Amino acid sequence: MEKVVIIGTGCAGLTAALYTARANLTPLVLTGTMPGGLLTTTSIVENFPGFPEGIDGYELMTRLQKQAERFGARVQFGTVESVALSQPPFTLTVDGETLQTQTVIIASGAGHRHLGLSSEDLLEKKGVTYCATCDGALPLFRNQPLVVVGGGDSACEEATYLTRFASVVYLVHRRDSLRASKIMAERTLTHAKIKPIWDSVVTEILDVKQDKVTGVRLKNVKTNKETALDCAGVFVAIGHVPNTQLFKGVLDMDENGYIIPERGSATNVPGVFVAGDCSDHVYRQAVTAAGMGCAAAIDAERYLAGLNQ
Ligand SMILES: Cc1cc2nc3c(=O)[nH]c(=O)nc-3n(C[C@H](O)[C@H](O)[C@H](O)COP(=O)(O)OP(=O)(O)OC[C@H]3O[C@@H](n4cnc5c(N)ncnc54)[C@H](O)[C@@H]3O)c2cc1C
């Protein structure tokens, strides 16, 4: 029987691991398919407190894991496939094996939102991607025109990163101004290699017949005019979907699937706590996720202490 199982090893999960480990609860921490979480997909993190020169995202997460392990956290590669949370002890199925635990901290983050086009699915990994840092340097994108879809911080970061490799980066956004933070928007729009295409959506990614990306079909949402644009890659950066499908119908969520805590990090099921981007559609930052992980760990620790009184 575990005392604490933490689902996820992003900033939220690993911070919860650090705190529960230091409380002698020897948490079991499950990585899912993305050990280290979303921050491992970015190069330099400039806004995590304590690193005046910035720090590589992968390095930050590696350090955080080591810090939690130093106090007894057990990080295990594994994905939670199903949960039974109706009453404690809770049962989790992890890669076909079941385990039982007195408390669960859900820190499963949020995944990339898709455009919802069949051509997007058919050309995924053949020029359609969701991570510039992971794929931008691939030979097929070098010195080629590339398209980034989106208008938030992620889209700006992807577009700026891709200027290292691309001949030109078209930033396709459905509105006429960026949603990104001011500093990020300014940096993006003043970059010589980035060309914004406003008021436009991608209606099709070309060319499924050739089994590779050769361009996109765009529609101007104001004029309804359709155009084609040549490119070798499409980087989709239109936001996230919380990884909370496992908990549907059991935990209270908003209409987009973000888990709504009742008090602090406590969910509507006593003993189940939540932290990070899977319950936060507002801030979605490494430091806020880490802060929520800390809160969830303290809440779990107090809940366990209450059981033993
Ligand atoms: C390109 C990019 C750049 C960014 N740059 C910055 C930045 O500079 N500064 C900043 O503050 N923030 C930045 N962010 C945002 C930051 O990465 C997130 O806010 C943060 O990672 C959220 O942490 P999290 O722990 O909630 O979730 P995540 O980091 O998403 O981690 C979720 C974890 O849950 C695991 N998981 C999911 N489902 C399961 C399951 N069923 N079973 C087991 N495990 C599971 C995953 O494998 C992963 O380990 C950036 C994000 C992106 C995409």
Side-chain angles (χ1 to χ4, degrees):
M1 169 73 73
E2 300 289 344
K3 290 193 190 93
V4 183
V5 171
I6 298 168
I7 304 177
T9 51
C11 303
L14 287 176
T15 305
L18 171 62
Y19 273 74
T20 47
R22 291 193 78 245
N24 276 341
L25 296 172
T26 52
L28 177 65
V29 199
L30 301 165
T31 63
T33 52
M34 193 184 262
L38 271 186
L39 217 55
T40 59
T41 66
T42 193
S43 46
I44 194 88
V45 182
E46 291 178 329
N47 52 12
F48 200 87
F51 298 95
E53 315 301 332
I55 181 166
D56 175 80
Y58 182 83
E59 190 191 339
L60 177 62
M61 298 317 295
T62 306
R63 285 200 199 188
L64 186 43
Q65 178 171 332
K66 274 192 191 151
Q67 194 177 357
E69 284 173 334
R70 184 179 144 214
F71 296 102
R74 293 162 299 140
V75 177
Q76 181 182 308
F77 191 81
T79 298
V80 179
E81 293 159 339
S82 65
V83 291
L85 301 179
S86 55
Q87 59 186 47
F90 307 116
T91 304
L92 309 185
T93 306
V94 182
D95 295 339
E97 306 273 322
T98 59
L99 63 86
Q100 293 209 308
T101 179
Q102 288 178 287
T103 65
V104 179
I105 296 176
I106 301 166
S108 52
H112 300 284
R113 191 180 291 284
H114 289 218
L115 295 169
L117 303 170
S118 59
S119 51
E120 173 189 17
D121 294 341
L122 291 167
L123 294 172
E124 186 170 346
K125 298 199 177 84
K126 294 167 184 169
V128 174
T129 147
Y130 300 85
C131 177
T133 324
C134 320
D135 301 329
L138 291 174
L140 81 150
F141 299 132
R142 297 241 171 190
N143 301 313
Q144 299 292 326
L146 302 176
V147 162
V148 172
V149 187
D153 277 338
S154 287
C156 288
E157 190 164 333
E158 302 274 279
T160 310
Y161 182 78
L162 289 171
T163 56
R164 301 178 197 191
F165 314 106
S167 56
V168 55
V169 179
Y170 297 106
L171 184 59
V172 175
H173 186 39
R174 64 195 159 121
R175 300 209 174 90
D176 60 6
S177 63
L178 295 176
R179 253 185 319 108
S181 58
K182 219 172 159 196
I183 184 166
M184 189 72 104
E186 221 171 84
R187 218 182 273 171
T188 307
L189 295 176
T190 52
H191 199 293
K193 271 192 176 179
I194 298 175
K195 303 211 180 311
I197 300 182
W198 303 116
D199 299 315
S200 297
V201 292
V202 175
T203 54
E204 189 185 350
I205 299 175
L206 307 167
D207 181 2
V208 170
K209 272 197 190 131
Q210 291 188 54
D211 205 28
K212 66 173 184 179
V213 171
T214 61
V216 287
R217 205 177 295 288
L218 299 172
K219 186 171 109 179
N220 183 300
V221 291
K222 286 192 174 153
T223 63
N224 278 336
K225 195 176 162 205
E226 293 224 8
T227 48
L229 179 69
D230 289 344
C231 67
V234 177
F235 291 75
V236 181
I238 53 168
H240 300 99
V241 185
N243 299 320
T244 56
Q245 297 82 348
L246 287 175
F247 314 104
K248 230 179 184 162
V250 182
L251 299 183
D252 291 344
M253 295 178 187
D254 71 10
E255 69 279 9
N256 295 316
Y258 288 91
I259 296 172
I260 306 170
E262 276 196 344
R263 240 172 316 98
S265 69
T267 67
N268 55 305
V269 175
V272 179
F273 304 89
V274 68
D277 284 9
C278 62
S279 69
D280 170 23
H281 59 90
V282 180
Y283 304 109
R284 285 195 300 229
Q285 291 299 294
V287 69
T288 48
M292 292 165 88
C294 158
I298 292 174
D299 288 343
E301 185 194 338
R302 289 184 182 161
Y303 169 85
L304 284 168
L307 291 184
N308 296 329
Q309 270 169 7

